[in-house]
């Protein structure tokens, strides 16, 4: 039996976890001081978001040197201590593998951009300009960057454009080039495996293979100059060949855990990445749930969604491995998503526990995100754009202002944008962890790089740690119960009961000899229901006959 199916994982966003030296930025030293806290919570694996050297244009997802640590986070020696600190407590550590792109400050890119015949020219994706009928220089095609604008950036030095699906300073690596691939394997993977890490979360794992003819994308948003290009960049022609090579050349030599950020794809495509016999990666993150209510290629365009949509997204995430040799994950928050209780539930303590109950019972390896265990919420709607720090949010805001010549903060278009940002911006996940009720929530003794959520004196670890009724104590319980009943919860089959019910989410988890009935009230109303003949395993409320708002129960039925 492999070790990575039954583990509880916890994601750390280093800038915002814990500052140990008062400079306002979280760091590795801070993480080390909280390892006992995580162990005690019931965590087995830590996934650490990028701590590599980086100009931080995309919070470390723009790496300038895979083999160095961002100095404000610490040193290689600190990383050795962190690895040792995890291992000595029986925990494992996985890092982020960001190899679709580097920072433009990476030595490889500096060489690549220096001349047309540099040996590393072909390590990135360069194309000649196009010219329109008036003779104006244009990008090679109409692809849109995830961070707004053209996906191509003009580089004067050689009069060509380079591809950058994310920030201008995140040029895409050219995976078609074998030398480039081997350099990635050595520098980004082997270097860290040899230092003792236990695996990787694979960033943007679906994007390495682009359709090599680079055609224009179809017009999806007629008013926009640039168009989503996923069909030419996602799950591309050689993507599985690349993952198989990475596995056979590197990963297979270590007892590693790998989880790919695959995001959007069909069940058939998803299985190709994670079916055991394909030997690519162990499990993946799909975005069916977290991108509910937004246009996937354009985060700030909101869509309506109902509980029925939420339920069917959960179902498809749980079900896709049924009857296969594949494996999957359970998660509802990460550094790219708003806080789950604000997005999908009642934004209160009871909702936090109800979501915990849901997570306890779903099929796959569980990941929780820092702060989720104390019920951290979205940032207040009253905060202005100056409190937002994420490049995705800021680029979208500035683009809106520029395109519409907006000069007034109360312009309805801007208000609408800020309404959307208050719901879905990545910033909500990135505010500092609330440790206690002292200034800045005990995250730092200095000035935090990002403002701490105003509710820190209410919602924080210190308040909750010794309170048996707190969200934190509830998370401890569910993390333990998930293991006690691992055949049922982690591995069992999911079967929905009330598909069309707009208020409650009821489903079975089943093994051959055990069943659990999970009943969750996703509404502000009291709901009548008939309890099953069975033993109540856990609930987030004192039991009454009816289900109170945001109440959840799990029954074990023999
Ligand atoms: C992934 C990361 C996200 C980052 C992007 C570019 O989606 O999760 O935070 O901005 O890749 O590296
Ligand atoms: Ca610090």
């Amino acid at each position: 039996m492999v070790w990575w199916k039954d583990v509880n994982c916890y994601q750390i966003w280093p800038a915002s976890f814990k500052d140990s030296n008062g400079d306002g930025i979280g760091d590795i030293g801070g993480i080390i001081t909280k390892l006992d806290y995580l162990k005690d919570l019931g965590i087995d694996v830590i996934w650490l978001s990028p701590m590599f050297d980086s100009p931080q244009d995309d919070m470390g997802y723009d790496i300038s040197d895979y083999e160095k640590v961002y100095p404000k986070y610490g040193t290689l020696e600190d990383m050795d201590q962190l690895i040792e600190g995890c291992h000595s407590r029986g925990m494992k550590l996985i890092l982020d593998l960001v190899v679709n792109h580097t920072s433009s400050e990476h030595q490889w890119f500096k060489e690549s951009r220096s001349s047309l015949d540099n040996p590393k020219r072909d390590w990135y994706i360069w194309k000649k300009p196009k010219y329109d009928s008036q003779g104006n220089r244009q990008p090679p095609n109409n692809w849109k960057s995830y961070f707004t604008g053209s996906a191509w950036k003009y580089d004067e030095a050689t009069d060509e454009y380079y591809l950058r699906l994310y920030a201008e300073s995140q040029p895409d690596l050219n995976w078609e080039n074998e030398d480039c691939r081997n350099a990635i394997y050595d520098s980004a993977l082997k270097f860290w495996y040899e230092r003792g890490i236990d695996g990787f979360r694979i960033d943007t794992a679906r994007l390495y293979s682009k359709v090599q003819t680079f055609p224009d994308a179809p017009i999806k948003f007629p008013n926009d100059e640039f168009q989503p290009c996923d069909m030419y960049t996602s799950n591309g022609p050689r993507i599985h060949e690349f993952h198989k090579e990475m596995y056979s050349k590197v990963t297979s030599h270590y007892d590693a855990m790998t989880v790919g950020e695959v995001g959007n794809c069909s069940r058939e495509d998803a299985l190709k990445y994670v079916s055991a016999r394909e030997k690519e990666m162990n499990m993946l993150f799909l975005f069916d749930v977290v991108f509910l209510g937004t246009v996937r290629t354009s985060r700030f365009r909101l869509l309506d969604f109902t509980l029925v949509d939420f339920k069917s997204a959960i179902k498809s995430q749980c079900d896709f491995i049924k009857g296969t040799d594949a494996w999957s994950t359970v998660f509802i928050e990460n550094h790219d998503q708003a806080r789950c209780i604000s997005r999908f539930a009642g934004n209160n303590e009871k909702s936090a526990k109800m979501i915990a109950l849901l997570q306890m019972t779903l099929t796959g390896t569980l990941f929780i995100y820092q702060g989720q265990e104390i019920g951290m919420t979205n940032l207040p709607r009253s905060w202005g754009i100056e409190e937002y720090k994420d490049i995705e949010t800021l680029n979208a805001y500035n683009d809106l202002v520029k395109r519409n010549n907006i000069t007034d903060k109360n312009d309805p278009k801007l208000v609408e944008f800020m309404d959307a940002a208050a719901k879905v911006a990545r910033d909500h996940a990135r505010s500092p962890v609330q440790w206690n009720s002292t200034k800045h929530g005990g995250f730092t003794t200095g000035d935090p790089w990002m403002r701490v959520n105003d509710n820190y004196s209410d919602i924080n670890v210190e308040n909750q740690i010794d309170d048996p009724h707190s969200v934190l104590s509830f998370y401890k319980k569910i993390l333990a119960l998930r293991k006690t009943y691992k055949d049922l919860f982690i591995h069992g089959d999911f079967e929905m009961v009330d598909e069309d019910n707009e208020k409650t989410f009821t489903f079975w988890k089943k093994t051959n000899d055990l069943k659990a009935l999970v009943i969750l009230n996703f509404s502000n109303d009291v709901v009548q229901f008939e309890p099953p003949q069975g033993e109540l395993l856990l609930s987030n409320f004192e039991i009454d006959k009816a289900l109170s708002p945001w109440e959840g129960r799990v029954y074990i039925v023999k």
Side-chain angles (χ1 to χ4, degrees):
M1 189 61 187
V2 296
W3 59 267
W4 37 261
K5 288 192 176 175
D6 299 340
V7 288
N8 294 324
C9 310
Y10 184 97
Q11 183 188 353
I12 291 183
W13 179 253
S16 301
F17 188 67
K18 176 73 186 149
D19 177 21
S20 71
N21 62 355
D23 69 354
I25 301 172
D27 45 50
I28 296 161
I31 300 172
I32 293 174
T33 64
K34 297 295 178 188
L35 289 176
D36 287 328
Y37 164 77
L38 294 175
K39 178 71 188 169
D40 188 49
L41 177 60
I43 299 305
D44 308 299
V45 177
I46 293 172
W47 152 25
L48 180 57
S49 279
M51 76 305 146
F52 313 95
D53 205 3
S54 157
Q56 303 291 331
D57 290 346
D58 185 21
M59 292 303 293
Y61 283 92
D62 48 326
I63 297 171
S64 53
D65 191 338
Y66 292 104
E67 300 173 26
K68 286 205 180 110
V69 176
Y70 177 49
K72 292 196 172 141
Y73 292 160
T75 60
L76 283 174
E77 289 65 42
D78 294 330
M79 280 303 291
D80 291 342
Q81 266 194 44
L82 177 63
I83 295 169
E84 159 61 22
C86 289
H87 289 170
S88 64
R89 289 170 177 81
M91 296 193 286
K92 311 238 184 205
L93 179 70
I94 69 172
L95 303 183
D96 229 299
L97 180 64
V98 189
V99 291
N100 174 67
H101 42 264
T102 65
S103 162
S104 50
E105 294 299 305
H106 196 292
Q107 187 56 32
W108 298 344
F109 187 72
K110 288 186 182 165
E111 289 177 38
S112 181
R113 87 191 315 180
S114 66
S115 74
L116 289 171
D117 55 8
N118 183 279
K120 295 201 175 64
R121 180 66 173 180
D122 190 42
W123 286 28
Y124 293 84
I125 302 170
W126 294 96
K127 293 278 172 249
K128 292 199 168 51
K130 271 203 330 210
Y131 288 90
D132 64 18
S133 49
Q134 277 95 53
N136 297 318
R137 193 189 65 234
Q138 298 293 343
N141 67 25
N142 70 352
W143 293 2
K144 172 181 181 286
S145 157
Y146 290 107
F147 291 164
T148 56
S150 168
W152 298 91
K153 170 78 181 152
Y154 180 67
D155 204 40
E156 250 164 33
T158 53
D159 185 33
E160 287 193 345
Y161 285 82
Y162 62 86
L163 184 71
R164 54 99 183 183
L165 292 178
Y166 292 91
E168 284 183 5
S169 57
Q170 284 171 305
D172 283 54
L173 285 157
N174 182 17
W175 275 72
E176 303 289 323
N177 182 300
E178 192 179 353
D179 291 340
C180 172
R181 295 202 301 277
N182 287 330
I184 292 171
Y185 301 152
D186 285 344
S187 189
L189 288 99
K190 279 186 209 155
F191 178 85
W192 286 102
Y193 276 127
E194 290 302 322
R195 283 196 106 88
I197 61 139
D198 303 289
F200 282 106
R201 173 265 189 182
I202 309 173
D203 185 64
T204 60
R206 71 183 191 288
L207 290 181
Y208 310 159
S209 166
K210 281 87 178 173
V211 169
Q212 290 298 298
T213 49
F214 295 89
D216 273 334
I219 311 289
K220 183 163 176 198
F221 302 114
N223 296 329
D224 292 3
E225 199 177 350
F226 303 107
Q227 303 294 327
C229 58
D230 275 51
M231 69 243 298
Y232 298 123
T233 56
S234 286
N235 311 312
R238 295 181 70 189
I239 190 70
H240 296 291
E241 178 192 334
F242 295 153
H243 279 293
K244 285 185 169 68
E245 181 181 271
M246 184 155 75
Y247 178 84
S248 69
K249 284 197 168 169
V250 189
T251 319
S252 62
H253 299 283
Y254 303 91
D255 182 18
M257 158 176 172
T258 50
V259 47
E261 184 205 25
V262 171
N264 311 326
C265 70
S266 67
R267 183 193 144 102
E268 293 69 34
D269 277 339
L271 284 174
K272 287 185 201 150
Y273 291 95
V274 288
S275 159
R277 87 174 72 91
E278 298 291 345
K279 296 196 175 8
E280 294 190 12
M281 59 184 74
N282 303 145
M283 60 190 104
L284 47 59
F285 295 124
L286 292 178
F287 290 164
D288 301 52
V289 177
V290 290
F291 269 138
L292 269 179
T294 59
V295 174
R296 286 183 186 209
T297 50
S298 197
R299 180 186 300 264
F300 300 103
R301 293 176 205 255
L302 298 191
L303 304 168
D304 287 335
F305 70 96
T306 65
L307 180 64
V308 173
D309 302 320
F310 180 82
K311 294 197 284 192
S312 83
I314 297 264
K315 177 177 153 61
S316 75
Q317 217 159 280
C318 268
D319 263 4
F320 92 97
I321 56 169
K322 224 182 208 169
T324 72
D325 65 351
W327 191 240
S328 187
T329 57
V330 180
F331 76 102
I332 193 162
E333 278 190 12
N334 64 34
H335 65 292
D336 291 332
Q337 303 300 333
R339 292 291 181 176
C340 66
I341 63 172
S342 312
R343 275 299 276 141
F344 302 119
N347 205 34
N348 52 29
E349 195 182 311
K350 218 166 142 197
S351 305
K353 294 178 189 165
M354 194 184 72
I355 298 258
L357 269 186
L358 171 66
Q359 303 267 288
M360 172 175 89
T361 61
L362 296 178
T363 313
T365 297
L366 176 64
F367 287 78
I368 62 173
Y369 180 73
Q370 65 182 38
Q372 188 181 334
E373 78 276 21
I374 54 168
M376 278 179 65
T377 65
N378 272 6
L379 307 170
R381 170 62 184 92
S382 58
W383 284 16
I385 192 71
E386 62 289 348
E387 305 293 356
Y388 286 75
K389 303 288 175 224
D390 177 26
I391 185 171
E392 184 186 35
T393 316
L394 298 180
N395 282 6
Y397 181 95
N398 292 330
D399 184 61
L400 185 72
V401 168
K402 203 168 111 202
R403 280 199 294 160
N404 298 284
N405 295 317
I406 298 177
T407 50
D408 176 7
K409 276 208 154 164
N410 297 319
D411 185 287
K413 282 204 173 84
L414 265 195
V415 173
E416 188 190 359
F417 178 87
M418 290 309 294
D419 284 343
K423 290 196 173 121
V424 297
R426 307 198 295 185
D427 305 76
H428 299 297
R430 300 177 178 195
S431 73
V433 170
Q434 299 161 204
W435 293 104
N436 59 40
S437 31
T438 64
K439 202 172 174 198
H440 307 307
F443 160 70
T444 179
T445 52
D447 287 326
W449 73 276
M450 180 180 182
R451 180 169 164 188
V452 181
N453 197 325
D454 301 343
N455 58 21
Y456 70 82
S457 47
D458 232 12
I459 300 175
N460 66 58
V461 171
E462 197 178 83
N463 275 350
Q464 299 191 16
I465 200 140
D466 294 322
D467 174 1
H469 302 295
S470 67
V471 176
L472 182 57
S473 300
F474 201 80
Y475 261 96
K476 257 192 218 176
K477 256 183 232 162
I478 71 114
L479 292 173
L481 277 174
R482 191 169 160 79
K483 288 199 178 155
T484 312
Y485 289 91
K486 64 173 178 236
D487 290 343
L488 188 59
F489 293 151
I490 305 181
H491 298 269
D493 280 337
F494 175 94
E495 212 176 274
M496 188 116 79
V497 173
D498 61 349
E499 211 118 21
D500 300 323
N501 191 312
E502 298 272 2
K503 287 187 174 164
T504 57
F505 187 1
T506 311
F507 59 90
W508 289 100
K509 283 305 292 281
K510 290 184 176 170
T511 66
N512 287 339
D513 36 40
L514 205 57
K515 293 194 290 190
L517 187 67
V518 182
I519 310 170
L520 312 168
N521 180 1
F522 268 85
S523 81
N524 283 314
D525 304 323
V526 175
V527 173
Q528 301 301 326
F529 87 112
E530 200 51 51
Q533 296 293 321
E535 169 211 343
L536 180 72
L537 179 68
L538 189 62
S539 103
N540 63 346
F541 198 63
E542 285 161 47
I543 295 303
D544 186 8
K545 275 226 176 82
L547 276 184
S548 62
W550 309 106
E551 178 173 345
R553 304 184 192 186
V554 178
Y555 291 92
I556 298 289
V557 180
K558 291 265 157 66

